Amino acid sequence: MAASLQAAATLMQPTKIGVQGRSAVQLRPSPSVCRAFGVEHGGARVTLSLQADVKDLTQKCADAAKVAGFALATSALVVSGVSAEGVPKRLTYDEIQSKTYLEVKGTGTANQCPTIDGGVEKFAYKPGKYNVKKLCLEPTSFTVKAEGVSKNAPPEFQNTKLMTRLTYTLDEIEGPLEVSPDGTVKFEEKDGIDYAAVTVQLPGGERVPFLFTIKQLVASGKPESFSGKFLVPSYRGSSFLDPKGRGGSSGYDNAVALPAGGRGDEEELTKENIKNTSSSTGKITLSVTKSKPESGELIGVFESIQPSDTDLGAKTPKDVKIQGIWYAQLE
């Protein structure tokens, strides 16, 4: 980087000018200097006085060299920062298990699902009953269906910015898997770390919290595409109290500042007073992209659509589309 800064400064230094006496001299500018100061290059000649104009040109060249050096330094820092913050290499299950806590800490590996080394690019398991272990789902993108930024734009799935830490991966999920003679599969989710609270931000600045989950999933179909519905619990429980002290199973019935039987019972405030903690449903589609029967491993991709948080019934939920990769072991 130091060599780059020195080269930039050398290129921007003014050319030595040989003159006789104190009379005016004519200089033929180089194309690089012309471009630096906005002067068209051609047959034009620049007339400078020896005592004033040459001093002014020297000062401008020195300032330009400083700007060029700062730009090079900034670009070097940006490039080095991108390399340092890059996505870590995806590891196999055995490679992850061989690492210590300090080797994994702060690298982002803990939020990644394992991959498979080798294997075949299809579902290569015989018909029968299996037990899924270590099922891991790692989202790679979150989009939310909302109205467009432009006026009268129809609702569409928009890209979002993740506002929470890298703690959104589901892991250690278990359940039975049945492979039928006709090649169809059926999976039922039974246990594991099957939910994670996530918050994303829309381009307009609105933040959308939701509970990424596959609770009680029952999915069936061909290995290339098997899908099913799952339960989406309430983002907050019935004992949660809002800023006015209202809750589902505890707290006030109405806002303290509103008299009972008065404005607190008006229709537009009912959804704020009566908390709703009922669950909703989502749908997920999984696809097997690679399998390794000798080690009992599977990997694939998934796409899930589920509702967002309703603020205990006070807001209309938005559709959240989650896409990512998954990993599992069969026994």
Side-chain angles (χ1 to χ4, degrees), residues 113-118 120 122 287-292 297-301 325-328:
C113 290
T115 186
I116 293 179
D117 186 11
V120 293
K122 63 178 182 178
S287 176
V288 177
T289 58
K290 204 173 186 182
S291 62
K292 192 175 182 181
E297 294 176 296
L298 285 172
I299 59 173
V301 295
I325 61 177
W326 62 273
Y327 165 90

Side-chain angles (χ1 to χ4, degrees), residues 277-290:
T277 59
S278 60
S279 302
S280 53
T281 58
K283 186 177 182 180
I284 186 172
T285 300
L286 301 100
S287 176
V288 177
T289 58
K290 204 173 186 182

Side-chain angles (χ1 to χ4, degrees), residues 164-176:
T164 51
R165 294 179 179 270
L166 302 181
T167 55
Y168 47 76
T169 296
L170 309 184
D171 203 0
E172 299 290 339
I173 298 174
E174 303 176 359

Side-chain angles (χ1 to χ4, degrees), residues 57-89:
L57 176 62
T58 304
Q59 183 63 36
K60 289 183 177 180
C61 289
D63 294 339
K66 292 179 181 178
V67 173
F70 178 78
L72 288 174
T74 304
S75 62
L77 289 174
V78 170
V79 171
S80 63
V82 170
S83 300
E85 299 295 335
V87 178
K89 178 184 176 183

Side-chain angles (χ1 to χ4, degrees), residues 124-277:
Y125 289 88
K126 297 179 180 179
K129 294 183 179 181
Y130 300 86
N131 192 26
V132 174
K133 297 280 190 180
K134 307 291 184 183
L135 175 59
C136 171
L137 288 90
E138 177 192 343
T140 56
S141 71
F142 300 101
T143 54
V144 177
K145 192 172 186 179
E147 295 182 357
V149 179
S150 58
K151 188 177 181 180
N152 297 329
E156 59 182 0
F157 284 99
Q158 301 181 22
N159 294 328
T160 60
K161 177 182 178 182
L162 183 67
M163 304 305 296
T164 51
R165 294 179 179 270
L166 302 181
T167 55
Y168 47 76
T169 296
L170 309 184
D171 203 0
E172 299 290 339
I173 298 174
E174 303 176 359
L177 175 71
E178 183 177 354
V179 182
S180 302
D182 60 356
T184 60
V185 298
K186 181 180 180 180
F187 169 69
E188 295 183 24
E189 190 269 342
K190 293 296 185 181
D191 196 10
I193 306 174
D194 53 8
Y195 69 94
V198 185
T199 300
V200 295
Q201 181 172 291
L202 289 168
E206 181 184 359
R207 295 189 177 183
V208 181
F210 63 94
L211 201 67
F212 173 45
T213 181
I214 58 166
K215 280 184 175 292
Q216 302 179 14
L217 168 66
V218 179
S220 59
K222 292 291 186 180
E224 296 79 15
S225 177
F226 59 104
S227 60
K229 295 184 178 181
F230 56 88
L231 183 71
V232 183
S234 175
Y235 186 81
R236 292 190 172 97
S238 61
S239 60
F240 175 81
L241 300 180
D242 67 7
K244 295 184 180 296
R246 297 168 296 189
S249 59
S250 61
Y252 296 104
D253 293 333
N254 299 314
V256 178
L258 300 177
R263 293 203 62 232
D265 293 334
E266 291 184 3
E267 183 177 355
E268 63 268 19
L269 297 177
T270 300
K271 60 183 180 180
E272 295 282 354
N273 293 328
I274 301 177
K275 303 301 182 183
N276 183 7
T277 59

Side-chain angles (χ1 to χ4, degrees), residues 27-55:
L27 302 177
R28 189 180 298 275
S30 65
S32 60
V33 175
C34 289
R35 285 194 297 268
F37 296 101
V39 180
E40 295 183 358
H41 177 67
R45 296 175 180 270
V46 182
T47 304
L48 304 173
S49 64
L50 180 62
Q51 295 180 346
D53 295 346
V54 171
K55 181 178 179 181

